[in-house]
Amino acid sequence: MKSMTITFIILIITAFLAFNFFSKSNQPMEQTIDITPSEFKEMAQDNPGVVIDVRTDQEYQSGHLALASYQYDFTNGEFERHLDTLGKDKTYYLYCRTGNRSGQAARLMKKNGFENVYNVGGFEELADEGFETR
């Protein structure tokens, strides 16, 4: 009886591991969306891409990255309204004040079929990393 129980437990564990392995192997590798300011600096040298500030107009006016291509406020829906105007074949780098809104915006873009989208974090961190500001 004891050996049957051990055999049964081994079979259950083996089945669980096999299921876990095969179910994950059929899924595409998920691209990392969140990158650090230093990773952004390195990536932008080879692929400048489109930089989008998703903060409010007031935040943007108080200081923004010089290389910002667009400023679309995420909180008031402006960002989402502009998604159809953006080419899905380009690379996008998004930032906000802390990285929270830009992370949400990046996930929204991925959900809508954009491939190369990155949340590069918060404005102050980017400025501290040496990105030119205005």
Side-chain angles (χ1 to χ4, degrees), residues 31-44 91-94 99 102 117-122 125-126:
Q31 174 194 8
T32 301
I33 293 175
D34 299 318
I35 60 173
T36 65
S38 60
E39 290 171 320
F40 170 41
K41 184 177 260 186
E42 192 173 303
M43 289 175 70
T91 299
Y92 293 92
Y93 303 104
L94 286 68
S102 52
V117 180
Y118 301 95
N119 172 23
V120 300
E125 294 171 325
L126 293 162

Side-chain angles (χ1 to χ4, degrees), residues 3-117:
S3 65
M4 269 182 58
T5 303
I6 292 173
T7 303
F8 180 73
I9 291 172
I10 290 172
L11 283 172
I12 295 293
I13 292 172
T14 303
F16 174 76
L17 292 173
F19 174 78
N20 196 29
F21 173 78
F22 288 111
S23 67
K24 287 184 180 175
S25 65
N26 291 332
Q27 297 174 357
M29 291 292 287
E30 187 66 30
Q31 174 194 8
T32 301
I33 293 175
D34 299 318
I35 60 173
T36 65
S38 60
E39 290 171 320
F40 170 41
K41 184 177 260 186
E42 192 173 303
M43 289 175 70
Q45 289 176 349
D46 295 331
N47 186 2
V50 178
V51 179
I52 303 175
D53 185 323
V54 300
R55 299 175 303 156
T56 64
D57 289 336
Q58 184 178 8
E59 288 173 305
Y60 183 82
Q61 294 304 325
S62 68
H64 59 274
L65 296 184
L67 52 81
S69 307
Y70 302 105
Q71 183 271 320
Y72 298 140
D73 188 340
F74 182 76
T75 57
N76 72 6
E78 180 183 19
F79 176 81
E80 193 167 357
R81 287 191 300 274
H82 281 88
L83 280 182
D84 290 341
T85 67
L86 302 173
K88 292 184 179 180
D89 59 331
K90 296 180 180 176
T91 299
Y92 293 92
Y93 303 104
L94 286 68
Y95 75 95
C96 63
R97 186 176 57 84
T98 64
N100 181 30
R101 288 173 284 178
S102 52
Q104 292 177 54
R107 286 187 287 284
L108 179 64
M109 289 181 82
K110 291 290 283 182
K111 184 178 173 183
N112 281 278
F114 290 82
E115 292 291 322
N116 299 307
V117 180

